[in-house]
Structure formats: structure tokens, C-alpha cells
């Protein structure tokens, strides 16, 4: 019996075993003209396997690149696109650096710390006062989203001063947006046919 475990490893599993076998056969053809003709036919089959992607501008270019990848870059043909370089195709992306620094209040997130840093650079005046109030309102919403309960403005003002090391504060008498209740997570509507679906949910 011919089991998959005894066969060569699939280069691109999404195209399946048959496509790989067709490409392996094309490599063995003697003339370049025959190999090119076979490659054109294989590209047509590969394209038909993913018709929803045909609207993409570089769809056919990707197919030819995938053809060369499956062929392990050993298919000598006259293609409409230059064969990709193996070193480029198999190069691993650079490791993304992990964000430095610890967040003092996790429920406010890094964005609040970035806003506070920006606020410190502004000159005193109406523009800065409006920006600081916007930061406080955002902090209040973030707090309620995280903790699921109402928070007094004074708690937000104290946290703002703590995060900014006393550099930022709202004007005296400032009141923040009055959120009546904590934000609720939106739930997806029940699909017709599920056991919890009712006509009344339409």
C-alpha cells in the first residue's frame, strides 16, 4: 500500500498531493517547451482550486511563485514572471521586539500612558486643558470596561496625577462624562437553526 507517511513531504499542503505529483512529472519532461506547456496547465488547475482569489491583482503571480516553491525551484520553464529566489521565499521574518516598560495601571493600558506623555509636552492653556479632560474621560471608560462598575471622578483624577507624576491635572470643578452603567460587550445574534434561536429574537 502507498501511504502518505511513505511519500515525500508536501511543499504547500493547500494544493494537495495531486498538484505536487503533476509538478514532479513536469520537472522530468525532457524539453523546455513541454515543461512550459505542462506548467501552464498546472497553473490553470491551481487557479481553479481557489476561484475566490481571482479578483486579487497579483493572483496569477502568486500561483507561479507557488509552482516554483512546490518544484523546489528546479523547474526550468518560460514563465510570465521571474522565478522567486529560494533564499527570499524561505527567509524568516525578523523577531518583533517585545514592548519595553511596565504598565502602572493595566486597566488603563499603554495608550493612556502615551497620551499622558503627549499631554506633558503641551503648553498650558485651553488646548491642554481639553486634552487632559479627554484623557480623564478615556480613563473612566477604560476603568468601567475593565472593572464592570461605576467609578467616581475623584478616583480617575487621582490616577491621572499618579500616572503623570503630578504633571497633569484637570481644572477645578471639572466633571467627566456620566456613564450610567458599565459598557456591555456586544453579543452576536443567534443564527437561524441553532437550538437557542427564537422567532422573537428577530
Amino acid at each position: 500500500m502507498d501511504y502518505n507517511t511513505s511519500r515525500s513531504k508536501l511543499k504547500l499542503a493547500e494544493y494537495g498531493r495531486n498538484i505536487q505529483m503533476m509538478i514532479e512529472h513536469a520537472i522530468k519532461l525532457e524539453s523546455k517547451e513541454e515543461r512550459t506547456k505542462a506548467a501552464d496547465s498546472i497553473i490553470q488547475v491551481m487557479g481553479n482550486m481557489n476561484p475566490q482569489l481571482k479578483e486579487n491583482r497579483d493572483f496569477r503571480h502568486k500561483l507561479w511563485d507557488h509552482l516554483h516553491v512546490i518544484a523546489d525551484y528546479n523547474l526550468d520553464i518560460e514563465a510570465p514572471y521571474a522565478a522567486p529566489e529560494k533564499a527570499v521565499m524561505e527567509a524568516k521574518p525578523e523577531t518583533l521586539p517585545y514592548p519595553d516598560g511596565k504598565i502602572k495601571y493595566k486597566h488603563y493600558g499603554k495608550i493612556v500612558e502615551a497620551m499622558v506623555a503627549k499631554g506633558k509636552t503641551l503648553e498650558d492653556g485651553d488646548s491642554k486643558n481639553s486634552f487632559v479632560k479627554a484623557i480623564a474621560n478615556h480613563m473612566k471608560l477604560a476603568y468601567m470596561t475593565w472593572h464592570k462598575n461605576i467609578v467616581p471622578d475623584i478616583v480617575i483624577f487621582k490616577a491621572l496625577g499618579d500616572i503623570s507624576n503630578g504633571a497633569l491635572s484637570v481644572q477645578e470643578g471639572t466633571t467627566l462624562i456620566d456613564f450610567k452603567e458599565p459598557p456591555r460587550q456586544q453579543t452576536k445574534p443567534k443564527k437561524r437553526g441553532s437550538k437557542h434561536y427564537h422567532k422573537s429574537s428577530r
Side-chain angles (χ1 to χ4, degrees), residues 15-117:
Y15 291 105
R17 177 69 58 182
N18 288 336
I19 290 294
Q20 182 157 311
M21 292 175 64
M22 292 166 66
I23 294 174
E24 290 172 351
H25 171 74
I27 294 174
K28 297 175 182 177
L29 296 176
E30 295 184 0
S31 71
K32 191 171 187 177
E33 183 180 355
E34 288 180 304
R35 292 193 297 271
T36 300
K37 187 175 180 180
D40 285 329
S41 299
I42 295 171
I43 288 292
Q44 294 298 324
V45 178
M46 292 169 66
N48 291 335
M49 294 176 68
N50 297 285
Q52 72 278 6
L53 300 179
K54 289 186 176 180
E55 299 300 324
N56 293 353
R57 184 180 302 177
D58 57 347
F59 173 65
R60 289 191 61 82
H61 195 167
K62 285 185 177 180
L63 289 180
W64 284 98
D65 285 350
H66 291 169
L67 178 77
H68 286 289
V69 171
I70 297 173
D72 201 20
Y73 310 92
N74 291 323
L75 186 56
D76 183 20
I77 55 175
E78 289 290 342
Y81 307 99
E85 296 182 14
K86 184 175 182 178
V88 174
M89 295 293 288
E90 296 184 356
K92 294 183 179 180
E94 295 182 5
T95 302
L96 291 175
Y98 195 80
D100 295 328
K102 294 182 179 180
I103 302 175
K104 196 166 188 177
Y105 295 95
K106 290 185 178 180
H107 48 274
Y108 295 127
K110 291 288 290 185
I111 189 171
V112 166
E113 294 189 353
M115 293 170 70
V116 167

Side-chain angles (χ1 to χ4, degrees), residues 119-163:
K120 290 180 178 181
T121 66
L122 300 178
E123 295 183 2
D124 293 339
D126 292 340
S127 179
K128 181 175 182 177
N129 292 334
S130 297
F131 186 72
V132 172
K133 184 177 179 179
I135 296 174
N137 277 314
H138 178 79
M139 290 173 63
K140 185 174 182 178
L141 180 61
Y143 183 102
M144 294 172 62
T145 301
W146 181 278
H147 293 286
K148 307 299 182 187
N149 56 18
I150 305 298
V151 56
D153 290 355
I154 189 63
V155 174
I156 301 300
F157 299 154
K158 183 178 182 303
L160 176 61
D162 194 12
I163 294 173

